[in-house]
Amino acid sequence: MARNSLPVEGVDHPDHRVEFHLSPGDIQAVRFGISPGHELAHAVRVLLRPAAHPLQWGWLRTAREGLPRDAFALLATVIGDDGYLPDFLTSTPRGDLTPEAELAALREAALDPLRVDLGKRIQRSTGAQRQALRDLLARPARTRAMIADAWEEVWASALAPAWPQLERLLRADIAVRARTIATAGIAGMAGALHPQVSWGAGAVRVSLRRHSEEVDCRGSGLVLVPSVLSSWGCLVLTEPPAQPTLFYPARGVTAGWARDTTETVAALGALLGPARAGILLTAGTPRSTSEVAADAGLALSTASHHLTVLRDAGLVVSERDGSRMQHVRTPLGEALVGAVL
């Protein structure tokens, strides 16, 4: 489409963009989160259109096995294979948001937003799918329960087995982005998020296909959410009461991201040695030296030695918590684990 025509809402145009306005020096206005619901929604779209998502083919090979047919069909109807994604399917992303908490929030999701979202999906659908959505809209409370049950079934089958690997990629990305804010500021971080994202005039700018909007985040802040399953591009969430949110592809996603922990330990082990690789891989949450030793099946002195080597290499950091020393991966350690995944 020619750039000399004005962007029309809902119609593809190269100049569509959403601007999230922030105070340039307000680092606290930007935070990061994880969204299991967003990952599941895009998992459904990957399963619907596998040819469009080559980076997910490794995951697809196992995700298709035992997929609950009826549950998947319901989610496919609600989510669709492209375009508008219903907001009620996800709660506000947080750094500590678990799949269990996301599902619990969905079971209690307000019915009015659900009605609005299903109405938008009806407008964007035709034929049998439109009629199926109308039937769901007619009984919103029952529909919410059905969708939550389907969410739980599809999650258990398709994403739960890969969630440890997926979550490590997300946390590795967040660690690197947070470090970039500390060294290069919001502008430097935003400019490196994705080709669709830039910083200018105090705003994070996101190029989109069919939507333009200006969002004032100076009172509410902006949530940045990396995604593994939506590796093709960015999405935004702007409608109140939701927190302004930008979903972007996590870095380091390759077709082999879903390989199991044994393969990952082997890859890291070739670089660090098996014992240190195992310690680093399980250092996503703080643990004491004795906990590290017990988990790795090592003597306390041996675990302490390996932690010292990892700490000297900048891969873990050790901080005292009362009488205990706690060890956790650094941003560099997160990036290394993420790169192997």
Side-chain angles (χ1 to χ4, degrees), residues 274-297:
R276 291 171 194 160
I279 291 171
L280 183 63
L281 193 62
T282 55
T285 56
R287 295 177 301 159
S288 67
T289 306
S290 58
E291 289 171 331
V292 170
D295 291 344

Side-chain angles (χ1 to χ4, degrees), residues 29-255:
V30 175
R31 64 180 180 83
F32 291 88
I34 286 174
S35 177
H38 183 79
E39 296 302 314
L40 183 60
H42 282 281
V44 170
R45 290 186 166 180
V46 170
L47 286 159
L48 287 171
R49 298 175 60 205
H53 305 279
L55 292 181
Q56 312 306 335
W57 289 351
W59 167 77
L60 271 169
R61 281 194 290 270
T62 56
R64 285 170 167 159
E65 298 175 6
L67 192 67
R69 181 176 301 178
D70 292 343
F72 176 75
L74 174 59
L75 292 186
T77 297
V78 172
I79 293 168
D81 63 1
D82 190 24
Y84 176 74
L85 186 65
D87 296 340
F88 77 89
L89 291 168
T90 59
S91 54
T92 300
R94 307 189 309 269
D96 60 351
L97 185 61
T98 64
E100 294 77 15
E102 185 87 279
L103 176 59
L106 176 58
R107 291 195 183 279
E108 300 296 326
L111 294 181
D112 282 345
L114 181 147
R115 292 187 185 98
V116 171
D117 289 349
L118 289 180
K120 291 180 179 179
R121 284 284 297 124
I122 289 170
Q123 292 174 5
R124 292 164 170 80
S125 302
T126 58
Q129 185 179 71
R130 172 175 283 189
Q131 185 56 50
L133 288 165
R134 283 174 172 161
D135 293 342
L136 293 173
L137 181 58
R139 303 179 66 181
R142 178 175 178 269
T143 293
R144 179 181 61 186
M146 290 170 57
I147 292 172
D149 288 343
W151 195 106
E152 186 172 21
E153 286 186 54
V154 174
W155 179 275
S157 172
L159 271 189
W163 181 243
Q165 299 96 303
L166 194 154
E167 186 180 19
R168 279 195 291 270
L169 273 174
L170 297 177
R171 296 197 182 280
D173 182 276
I174 289 172
V176 172
R177 308 296 184 185
R179 186 180 182 93
T180 302
I181 289 179
T183 57
I186 294 175
M189 181 277 300
L193 276 179
H194 188 267
Q196 287 178 249
V197 182
S198 61
W199 171 269
V204 176
R205 297 171 171 171
V206 188
S207 297
L208 296 178
R209 289 164 51 198
R210 302 171 182 170
H211 177 61
S212 292
E213 186 178 359
E214 293 194 15
V215 184
D216 189 350
C217 300
R218 286 170 286 191
S220 58
L222 174 63
V223 184
L224 300 177
V225 185
S227 176
V228 171
L229 271 300
S230 63
S231 55
W232 57 271
C234 299
L235 290 174
V236 300
L237 182 57
T238 62
E239 291 189 21
Q243 180 95 12
T245 304
L246 166 58
F247 299 92
Y248 64 92
R251 64 191 299 165
V253 178
T254 68

